């Protein structure tokens, strides 16, 4: 409103001066000194005063985006950027997940972020500003969701080939639901329940998968890729690139390079039976 008022005033004066100039002869005008006073007072001094006042006022408002002191929040979450996914840890618990952060609604959460490789930027626009993830440094921000729901976020610092496929989801849940989710994440992976799933577990633990991925409760303890202990509880794969369902998971394991070129998982042209068993086992890890 203020800006339009200012614009209206300036345009009005311009139009007025245009008409008045036409009526006058060329040459120096008697009122020129007074004119300069108006220009300096209204165009420089007043403008500076307004800009500085607005700046000071907005700096005070912007303070709300600062991270709270560590003791002020009841929950701290660690986020570690990787090319190209997000590792998510809940300190004080054994819960480790990826790309989908669950938080309790209407609760200030202290989010602390760093990176395992290059600089990324953690950004969930609806919840707060962005923070860079920097090697050997921990940057903090407050996450506060006043309504339940899923909030889409995105890596906001160019970090290589699949920077665009480095999405993040923050899921704000009622307190009780969040507690139940966290308790589930702390548990080891569900034991296979069928012959097919047992075959899948065997394939996982004896093949290349276990060298990069962890499934808590088994011998798989790799750290290169996401923790898969409760993979089936996530709604997406590959940092929100594809949906988490058997068809997409099979396509991902068969040739993840076709889905997300450059990612660290090599293509495994597995026999169809082995692939089917692996998918059955992984989609059972709720
Ligand atoms: Cu990570 Cu861009």
């Amino acid at each position: 409103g203020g800006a339009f008022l200012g614009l209206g005033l300036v345009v009005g004066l311009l139009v007025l001066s245009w008409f008045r100039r036409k009526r006058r002869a060329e040459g120096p005008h008697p009122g020129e000194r007074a004119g300069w006073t108006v220009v300096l007072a209204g165009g420089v001094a007043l403008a500076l005063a307004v800009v500085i006042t607005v700046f000071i006022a907005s700096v005070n408002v912007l303070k709300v985006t600062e991270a709270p002191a560590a003791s002020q929040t009841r929950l701290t979450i660690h986020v570690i950027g990787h090319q190209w996914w997000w590792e998510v840890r809940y300190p004080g618990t054994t819960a480790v997940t990826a790309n989908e952060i669950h938080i309790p609604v209407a609760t200030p959460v202290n989010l602390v972020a760093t990176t395992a490789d290059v600089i990324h930027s953690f950004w969930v626009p609806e919840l707060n500003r962005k923070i860079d993830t920097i090697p050997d440094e921990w940057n903090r921000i407050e996450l506060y969701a006043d309504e339940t729901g899923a909030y889409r976020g995105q890596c906001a610092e160019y970090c290589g080939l699949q920077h665009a496929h480095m999405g993040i989801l923050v899921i704000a849940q009622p307190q009780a639901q969040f507690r139940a989710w966290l308790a589930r994440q702390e548990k080891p992976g569900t034991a296979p329940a069928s012959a097919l799933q047992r075959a899948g577990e065997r394939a996982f633990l004896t093949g290349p998968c276990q060298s990069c991925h962890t499934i808590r409760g088994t011998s798989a303890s790799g750290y290169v890729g996401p923790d898969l202990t409760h993979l089936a509880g996530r709604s997406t794969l590959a940092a929100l690139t594809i949906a988490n369902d058997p068809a997409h998971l099979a396509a991902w394991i068969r040739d993840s390079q076709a889905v997300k070129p450059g990612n660290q998982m090599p293509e495994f042209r597995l026999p169809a039976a082995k692939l089917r068993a692996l998918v059955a086992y992984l989609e059972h890890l709720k």
Side-chain angles (χ1 to χ4, degrees), residues 120 155 157-159 163 166:
H120 305 272
C155 178
E157 177 78 36
Y158 181 71
C159 56
H163 157 68
M166 195 168 163

Side-chain angles (χ1 to χ4, degrees), residues 109-128:
V109 173
N110 182 30
L111 187 131
V112 188
T114 189
T115 177
D117 38 52
V118 301
I119 296 175
H120 305 272
S121 184
F122 179 91
W123 190 32
V124 183
E126 282 179 280
L127 299 184
N128 211 328

Side-chain angles (χ1 to χ4, degrees), residues 180-268:
W181 176 85
L182 191 61
R184 167 133 220 103
Q185 298 303 308
E186 286 201 85
K187 293 212 169 82
T190 322
S194 68
L196 186 64
Q197 289 169 9
R198 268 190 294 280
E201 187 189 47
R202 215 165 27 246
F204 192 95
L205 298 178
T206 55
C209 310
Q210 47 79 33
S211 55
C212 291
H213 293 283
T214 291
I215 295 181
R216 280 170 278 133
T218 74
S219 58
S221 56
Y223 181 67
V224 178
D227 184 301
L228 303 180
T229 309
H230 297 288
L231 175 69
R234 305 204 276 264
S235 62
T236 63
L237 298 171
L240 278 60
T241 308
I242 47 176
N244 185 9
D245 55 42
H248 282 102
L249 181 58
W252 175 258
I253 297 171
R254 194 186 310 115
D255 187 5
S256 73
Q257 295 300 323
V259 180
K260 194 168 173 178
N263 89 81
Q264 301 216 22
M265 188 154 118
E267 56 180 88
F268 298 113

